[in-house]
């Protein structure tokens, strides 16, 4: 799918794709990183962990981990305890 947007008066095209975030199908811009996804969702990163296709992604890799069509993203909170 394509999204048409205006940027400084010029029309440009963004390609979009569908991913699933915590069992909810979501449309995002192609090439979106995990970091950008968290920012777009306005989620607090404190104590947050992310898995893509059931593989936990290290927080240091979020900015460069690009999402792909049909990825399954799971956001969960890490709780320390004993």
């Amino acid at each position: 799918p394509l999204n048409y947007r205006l940027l400084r008066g010029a029309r440009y095209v963004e390609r979009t794709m569908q991913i699933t975030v915590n069992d909810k199908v979501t449309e995002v811009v192609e090439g979106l990183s995990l970091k950008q996804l968290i920012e777009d969702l306005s989620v607090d990163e404190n104590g947050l962990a992310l898995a893509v296709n059931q593989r936990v992604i290290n927080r240091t890799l979020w900015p460069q981990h690009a999402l792909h069509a049909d990825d399954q993203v799971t956001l969960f909170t890490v709780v320390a305890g004993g």
Side-chain angles (χ1 to χ4, degrees):
L2 300 175
N3 265 349
Y4 293 93
R5 297 195 182 205
L6 290 176
L7 178 65
R8 296 186 188 154
R11 188 171 153 185
Y12 72 99
V13 177
E14 284 183 332
R15 292 183 119 355
T16 60
M17 62 184 179
Q18 288 187 339
I19 62 172
T20 302
V21 179
N22 287 1
D23 298 322
K24 180 181 175 193
V25 175
T26 305
E27 190 167 316
V28 297
V29 176
E30 280 186 3
L32 190 74
S33 72
L34 280 175
K35 177 76 171 170
Q36 292 167 317
L37 175 65
I38 295 309
E39 290 171 358
D40 288 354
L41 295 174
S42 300
V43 175
D44 183 5
E45 292 183 29
N46 292 322
L48 184 68
L50 296 174
V52 177
N53 302 324
Q54 299 183 355
R55 295 187 67 184
V56 175
I57 307 298
N58 188 303
R59 179 182 299 267
T60 61
L61 300 176
W62 292 0
Q64 64 260 24
H65 186 98
L67 294 167
H68 302 284
D70 301 319
D71 275 349
Q72 304 275 330
V73 180
T74 306
L75 286 70
F76 53 97
T77 304
V78 177
V79 178

